[in-house]
Amino acid sequence: MTDVSVRFAPSPTGRLHVGNARAALLNWLFARKHGGSFLLRLDDTDAARSTPEFAQGIEADLRWLGLGWDRFARQSERFDFYTAATGKLKQSGRLYPCYETPEELELRRKIQLGRKKPPVYDRAALKLTDADRAKLEAEGRRPHWRFRLDHGVTAWDDLIHGRVEIDMASLSDPVLVRSDGYPLYTLSSVVDDGDLGITHVIRGEDHVTNTAAQIQLFAALDYAVPVFGHFSWLLDAEGAGLSKRIGSLSLADLREQGYEPMALNSLLARLGSADPVEPQLDVQALVAGFDLGRFSRAPARLDPHELDLLNARILHASDFNTVRDRLPAGVTEAFWLAIRGNIGRLTEAADWWPVVSGEIATVIEDPAVVAAAAETLPAEPWDGATWKAWTQAISARTGAKGKALFHPLRLALTGRDKGPEMAPLLPLIGRDRVAKRLSGV
């Protein structure tokens, strides 16, 4: 496979969410696997809803995921291409004017459904004479323009679905241009894909039917038809539509909640495929094992618990230099190594930093054990072996063992009943703080 070119084409009318991230990642991995290019195209023709802030947010989200792009385009800068394509289609007779109002079309649709017929546009506009069109325009009507489909079967070999065949008579001729002359998605997307040399279109299965019409449009505009791959829906763990818990949250939300980008990448890169989900520390590590052909047509299930587990596993394996810029000021490598195995999100590190560097609320559960701890407190310097030697001395004096020994000490020294191993934590707290906390102050 040579000269592979794919695209991710979000509309800057909101922030990216998990479904968008999956589309971006699968396209990026496909490009990198085949030595191709990845185009970021902002489909910003909806001037009323598109904003510079959303556009900047999309770029920031992709950078957070580690998905850099090789090429960039904006649809708002490409209207001349759509105008030229419209003219070509009109000249060839494939684009024809229609004058029905939305209300008239809806009435026809209801009548067809009432007769148990599919609600397919009846091509009534093709029967209009020049005089009919002139009369309608004299009444103030302006036409929208439909692409006349060739009836018969349109087929393609989908990278995921295999052979797909669509009976074109079952589809309405798609509207390509609104009555105000504004190009719609089907036209602008095909023109951009064709003109920018997109070789593979990888997107959600909700576009399968659209693909049949677009294949004919590519041919009508003398563009090479791309290879298509349609990945499955994302469902929640119970098989329902994604809930707000994860599915509709923006990437910015997930970032603020302390999720690692590689936790999301590791999950989305394999979700719905035959390959196991394994945590990876770098997006490049996902490329080697990526194979779109191993993805299933069955809906993929996104379990928030699985994302949480991946996030924790990635943090447990992350070295200090990877996270140091996102940790509280003053945090040392020794502190990170001591606590990383017990946190699920990086934001939890900020909760543990005061335990070794500041003041905490002392909790005295067993005064006898705490008193013995103060009496046997060893002199510094302390290291990783100090905790074991000290607790053995306390046990010898009090007879306390197991939970009866360790739980009161953990509460007194950290104010918490669970957390990181005390052996590496103790030297970080230091003798002065330990003595003060054992005194109950």
Side-chain angles (χ1 to χ4, degrees):
M1 196 178 299
T2 58
D3 299 325
V4 166
S5 180
V6 300
R7 47 80 163 174
F8 174 57
S11 296
T13 55
R15 296 302 296 265
L16 297 185
H17 53 74
V18 171
N20 301 134
R22 188 182 187 213
L25 178 63
L26 296 186
N27 275 279
W28 188 91
L29 289 172
F30 189 87
R32 294 297 177 261
K33 181 65 178 288
H34 298 291
S37 68
F38 175 73
L39 166 71
L40 171 59
R41 188 184 77 211
L42 295 181
D43 287 4
D44 58 349
T45 53
D46 186 345
R49 299 172 58 217
S50 297
T51 70
E53 291 75 22
F54 284 140
Q56 292 164 9
I58 288 170
E59 294 186 32
D61 288 339
L62 291 178
R63 290 191 181 99
W64 177 67
L65 291 172
L67 308 181
W69 49 94
D70 307 299
R71 297 191 292 160
F72 180 85
R74 296 178 184 273
Q75 285 194 333
S76 59
E77 299 173 352
R78 297 179 53 79
F79 279 99
D80 288 347
F81 290 91
Y82 313 143
T83 300
T86 299
K88 183 172 184 175
L89 293 171
K90 289 178 180 178
Q91 187 175 18
S92 66
R94 295 297 294 275
L95 201 63
Y96 63 96
C98 304
Y99 295 85
E100 298 92 346
T101 65
E103 294 75 17
E104 290 169 342
L105 290 172
E106 179 61 22
L107 178 59
R108 289 186 194 178
R109 181 178 179 277
K110 289 180 178 179
I111 291 173
Q112 288 172 309
L113 290 173
R115 294 174 178 174
K116 309 298 183 182
K117 295 182 178 180
V120 176
Y121 179 63
D122 59 8
R123 293 182 166 178
L126 287 174
K127 302 172 185 176
L128 295 175
T129 65
D130 289 344
D132 292 331
R133 287 190 286 270
K135 180 181 178 181
L136 289 168
E137 293 191 17
E139 295 172 358
R141 296 206 188 192
R142 293 293 177 265
H144 55 275
W145 296 80
R146 290 182 183 267
F147 177 62
R148 181 176 52 78
L149 297 171
D150 287 334
H151 286 177
V153 173
T154 295
W156 71 94
D157 292 315
D158 196 277
L159 292 173
I160 296 173
H161 285 247
R163 188 69 174 174
V164 179
E165 297 183 351
I166 303 292
D167 178 6
M168 304 306 287
S170 68
L171 305 180
S172 294
D173 291 341
V175 177
L176 299 190
V177 183
R178 295 189 322 204
S179 59
D180 60 1
Y182 211 76
L184 295 180
Y185 167 80
T186 300
L187 175 65
S188 58
S189 183
V190 166
V191 170
D192 287 340
D193 288 342
D195 180 67
L196 295 171
I198 299 301
T199 63
H200 294 74
V201 175
I202 301 167
R203 57 191 180 184
E205 65 179 10
D206 51 318
H207 287 283
V208 167
T209 302
N210 297 342
T211 295
Q214 290 179 352
I215 286 173
Q216 288 201 10
L217 186 53
F218 276 107
L221 292 171
D222 297 321
Y223 290 130
V225 178
V227 176
F228 290 90
H230 295 88
F231 49 81
S232 63
W233 291 101
L234 278 182
L235 303 178
D236 65 18
E238 286 71 42
L242 286 180
S243 67
K244 194 171 183 179
R245 164 69 177 85
I246 285 292
S248 61
L249 290 182
S250 71
L251 300 191
D253 291 330
L254 297 178
R255 184 160 63 247
E256 289 173 5
Q257 291 178 14
Y259 283 101
E260 297 298 299
M262 282 310 302
L264 191 59
N265 283 336
S266 297
L267 182 58
L268 296 180
R270 300 290 185 262
L271 201 62
S273 79
D275 297 314
V277 176
E278 296 290 344
Q280 300 293 342
L281 300 182
D282 183 88
V283 70
Q284 294 288 346
L286 294 168
V287 175
F290 179 75
D291 183 355
L292 202 61
R294 292 180 61 78
F295 279 71
S296 169
R297 295 174 56 181
R301 298 195 179 193
L302 177 63
D303 186 348
H305 180 61
E306 188 173 11
L307 181 61
D308 289 335
L309 291 177
L310 280 170
N311 205 73
R313 290 177 66 186
I314 284 172
L315 287 176
H316 300 169
S318 295
D319 62 36
F320 180 60
N321 289 331
T322 302
V323 299
R324 67 185 306 167
D325 292 341
R326 295 183 289 144
L327 293 171
V331 165
T332 63
E333 184 173 11
F335 170 78
W336 171 246
L337 295 177
I339 63 121
R340 68 177 180 178
N342 283 82
I343 62 174
R345 302 185 190 180
L346 194 65
T347 49
E348 297 172 30
D351 299 330
W352 279 100
W353 182 235
V355 172
V356 303
S357 64
E359 302 297 325
I360 64 167
T362 301
V363 180
I364 304 299
E365 180 183 59
D366 187 329
V369 168
V370 170
E375 293 167 1
T376 58
L377 189 63
E380 290 182 321
W382 289 353
D383 57 25
T386 302
W387 172 253
K388 182 177 181 180
W390 183 35
T391 54
Q392 286 176 340
I394 300 169
S395 179
R397 179 166 296 201
T398 63
K401 296 180 180 180
K403 184 177 180 180
L405 171 65
F406 297 114
H407 194 258
L409 291 175
R410 179 179 287 279
L411 280 175
L413 299 181
T414 70
R416 307 181 186 198
D417 61 1
K418 58 184 177 181
E421 294 290 332
M422 290 300 300
L425 210 59
L426 185 67
L428 299 175
I429 299 173
R431 193 179 193 283
D432 289 344
R433 286 192 181 91
V434 168
K436 185 176 181 181
R437 292 172 186 180
L438 292 175
S439 70
V441 177

